[in-house]
Amino acid sequence: MIRVIIERVISEGKLDDYHALIRQAKNKASNSAGFLTGEIFHVKDNPNHVIVMSCWDSFETWEVWAESEQRLDLLDAMRPLLESDEKVTVLESSNIKS
């Protein structure tokens, strides 16, 4: 299992437009094979700084979604709303025994 963290900074005045697109993205991702859960957060002191966290059963299933035409089309629609490119971090479970 992996977790994916996507950070985006939304341009001033574009948050409502972004919310409409991120809802579409979450709905489409949730229908993708391997998707387990997803949450959307705003940084407390900066609501335009958005963190999307999702959980996937494997890196391969995330990669299929990440490269899918559906996600790329949504990302193209989001780009004009962003101050900079999104930052994607993929986390995998550690094998450290407690």
Side-chain angles (χ1 to χ4, degrees), residues 40-78:
I40 302 164
F41 299 93
H42 293 270
V43 173
K44 184 177 183 319
D45 296 330
N46 182 1
N48 286 355
H49 188 170
V50 179
I51 309 291
V52 177
M53 296 178 67
S54 59
C55 188
W56 296 80
D57 66 2
S58 70
F59 179 75
E60 291 75 21
T61 56
W62 151 252
E63 201 169 39
V64 167
W65 165 248
E67 296 173 2
S68 72
E69 186 175 335
Q70 287 182 322
R71 182 178 187 279
L72 296 176
D73 287 348
L74 285 163
L75 190 55
D76 284 345
M78 280 182 200

Side-chain angles (χ1 to χ4, degrees), residues 11-49:
S11 298
E12 198 63 42
K14 302 293 184 181
L15 205 51
D16 288 340
D17 295 334
Y18 174 77
H19 283 158
L21 288 170
I22 197 63
R23 276 192 292 274
Q24 287 180 42
K26 187 176 179 192
N27 287 339
K28 290 180 184 206
S30 67
N31 292 322
S32 186
F35 177 87
L36 301 174
T37 63
E39 296 178 279
I40 302 164
F41 299 93
H42 293 270
V43 173
K44 184 177 183 319
D45 296 330
N46 182 1
N48 286 355
H49 188 170

